[in-house]
Structures are given as C-alpha cells and as structure tokens.
C-alpha cells in the first residue's frame, strides 16, 4: 500500500468554481502535512501546511482528519492560474512522502 | 541565484555510463534529499543526509550512490546508468528540527538513459 494516495483526477472546472479533493495516508504516526503545487514538471513548491484545526490561505482551505487519516484541499473561486498538479505530502520520521498528485485544470 | 541549484538541468546518457548529478544550496540547511519523479508514481526518496557525516538510504537506493562533500553540496551518482533510471530528479533541503517546515526544491534534472 502506498504511504500517500490521491485521486489523480483530472478535475476540470470552470473559472470561479469550487473544487475539492482529498488524499489518504497510511502512517498514523505522521507528524506534519502539506500541500505542494507542481507546474508542468517543474519543481514542487509549498502551497500550505495543514494544521489539525484546519487552515485557510486566501482561496485555499486545508483540512486534516487524523482519525480517518485523510487530508483535503479546497480551492474557492478558481482562477486559470490554479491549473496545476497538487501533491499531498506527509512528514514521517523527518522524511516527506509524496502522493502522485491530483491534476486540476481550470477553463475559461 | 536560486537557493537550491541542480546541475545539469538536462542530460542524455548511454546505458552503462557513470553520471553524477550535483546539488548545492545556499540556505544553510543541514538536511538534504534526493528524489526521483516518474509519471503516476509521485516523488520517491533515493537518499538523504542530515549532516555531512550522515548518509541514509531511501526507498529506492539500488543503483545509486551519494556523496555529501560539504554542508552545501550533495551529489547523486548513477554508477552504471540503465534506461529505467530515466526520470526527473529533484534535490531538496529542509530546515532542521522543524518538522512542520517543508522542503525547498531545486529545479530538477531531467535525465534520459538511452
């Protein structure tokens, strides 16, 4: 079983729509959680950390459910520039484990 | 200049050749990592190092070796390249003792083994 699993998508949404997706992780002892964004096979870049209480950063909202071992990301008012692959990342034993990514395409 | 620099950016090499991918960083981070990325598989950890004298295997270390020449430099070698090592390789650094802090990645090296 993969340590981090994501729905690969793609999620094709119109501008202005809300899109949400999850990932699940297998290691219940995982310490910290992140969403990264990756464009066109460039390097992943940190989008946001995910905190137990849930957190927002502008149009992005992340949630963590430790009991069910899943993390979610919600994007409100989607922009064309949000088109990317979103990587779910879990920190266990000081190493990050990456999901394969969820592809989001926002169309005009 | 980028915080984490990888060289070369692109490389095509022949099966059986030895190749070294280099990574240098200006962030002063102790922890450095090498990952490879393949379509549909996500990033997989090859090797990591928590300081100059510390080298650890990741989940897919076979066929690879590393050298931590200094705090700022971490090189990945393919002793005898094979076609299934064709991938996008990323170096990353992490601020120590802050497990809630993510990685900073280099721009990647696209390696093709023919």
């Amino acid at each position: 079983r993969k340590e981090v699993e994501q729905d690969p998508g793609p999620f094709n949404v119109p501008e202005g729509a809300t899109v949400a997706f999850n990932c699940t992780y297998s290691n219940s002892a995982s310490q910290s959680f992140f969403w990264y964004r990756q464009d066109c096979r460039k390097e992943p870049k940190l989008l946001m950390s995910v905190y137990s209480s849930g957190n927002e950063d502008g149009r992005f909202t992340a949630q963590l459910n430790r009991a069910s071992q899943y993390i979610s990301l919600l994007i409100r008012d989607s922009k064309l520039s949000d088109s990317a692959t979103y990587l779910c990342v879990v920190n266990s034993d000081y190493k990050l484990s990456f999901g394969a990514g969820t592809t989001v395409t926002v169309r005009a | 200049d980028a915080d984490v620099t990888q060289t070369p950016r692109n490389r095509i090499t022949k099966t059986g050749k030895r190749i070294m991918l280099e990574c240098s960083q200006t962030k002063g981070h102790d922890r450095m990592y090498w990952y490879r990325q393949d379509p549909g598989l996500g990033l997989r950890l090859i090797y990591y190092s928590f300081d100059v004298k510390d080298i650890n295997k990741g989940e897919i270390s076979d066929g690879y070796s590393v050298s931590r020449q200094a705090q700022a430099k971490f090189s990945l070698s393919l002793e005898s390249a094979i076609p299934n090592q064709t991938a996008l390789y990323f170096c990353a650094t992490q601020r120590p003792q802050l497990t809630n802090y993510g990685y900073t990645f280099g721009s990647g090296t696209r390696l093709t083994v023919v």
Side-chain angles (χ1 to χ4, degrees):
Chain A
R1 182 185 173 189
K2 291 182 181 178
E3 286 196 48
V4 182
E5 300 209 48
Q6 295 183 246
D7 179 347
F11 289 78
N12 294 304
V13 299
E15 265 189 300
T18 296
V19 59
F21 41 89
N22 297 334
C23 86
T24 58
Y25 61 95
S26 60
N27 185 351
S28 59
S30 298
Q31 297 117 348
S32 51
F33 309 88
F34 309 90
W35 284 102
Y36 275 71
R37 172 193 170 124
Q38 187 174 27
D39 296 290
C40 298
R41 304 291 279 171
K42 293 186 178 178
E43 73 272 25
K45 293 186 177 178
L46 180 64
L47 178 67
M48 59 194 301
S49 300
V50 186
Y51 301 118
S52 297
S53 55
N55 50 298
E56 268 188 31
D57 184 358
R59 297 180 293 105
F60 298 85
T61 300
Q63 296 280 352
L64 167 64
N65 185 318
R66 284 190 183 268
S68 301
Q69 294 181 209
Y70 77 82
I71 307 154
S72 65
L73 182 67
L74 181 146
I75 307 173
R76 288 187 302 279
D77 188 22
S78 299
K79 311 293 184 189
L80 295 176
S81 57
D82 294 333
S83 297
T85 297
Y86 292 86
L87 307 179
C88 176
V89 183
V90 174
N91 190 343
S92 305
D93 300 325
Y94 308 108
K95 301 185 300 292
L96 298 189
S97 296
F98 290 77
T102 297
T103 299
V104 173
T105 302
V106 182
R107 62 183 187 274
Chain B
D1 288 342
D3 292 328
V4 182
T5 302
Q6 289 184 236
T7 56
R9 293 293 306 274
N10 293 281
R11 180 73 180 267
I12 300 174
T13 192
K14 293 183 178 180
T15 297
K17 292 291 187 182
R18 184 178 188 274
I19 182 169
M20 179 181 288
L21 310 183
E22 302 199 26
C23 177
S24 62
Q25 52 121 341
T26 58
K27 296 187 73 70
H29 291 173
D30 287 327
R31 295 180 184 170
M32 298 187 73
Y33 304 79
W34 275 104
Y35 284 83
R36 65 176 278 176
Q37 186 174 33
D38 300 274
L41 293 179
L43 279 80
R44 293 181 292 164
L45 182 62
I46 306 172
Y47 270 96
Y48 62 102
S49 169
F50 284 176
D51 65 43
V52 174
K53 297 179 181 178
D54 176 76
I55 300 290
N56 303 281
K57 293 183 177 180
E59 59 184 296
I60 53 162
S61 58
D62 288 349
Y64 301 95
S65 62
V66 291
S67 173
R68 185 81 185 265
Q69 302 96 322
Q71 188 209 35
K73 295 183 182 294
F74 192 37
S75 300
L76 176 72
S77 293
L78 287 67
E79 298 301 326
S80 179
I82 56 177
N84 77 0
Q85 291 177 313
T86 293
L88 185 55
Y89 289 84
F90 287 108
C91 174
T93 72
Q94 186 183 37
R95 200 169 165 186
Q97 296 152 0
L98 289 178
T99 58
N100 211 39
Y101 192 82
Y103 286 178
T104 300
F105 282 90
S107 299
T109 295
R110 189 173 299 277
L111 177 66
T112 304
V113 183
V114 297

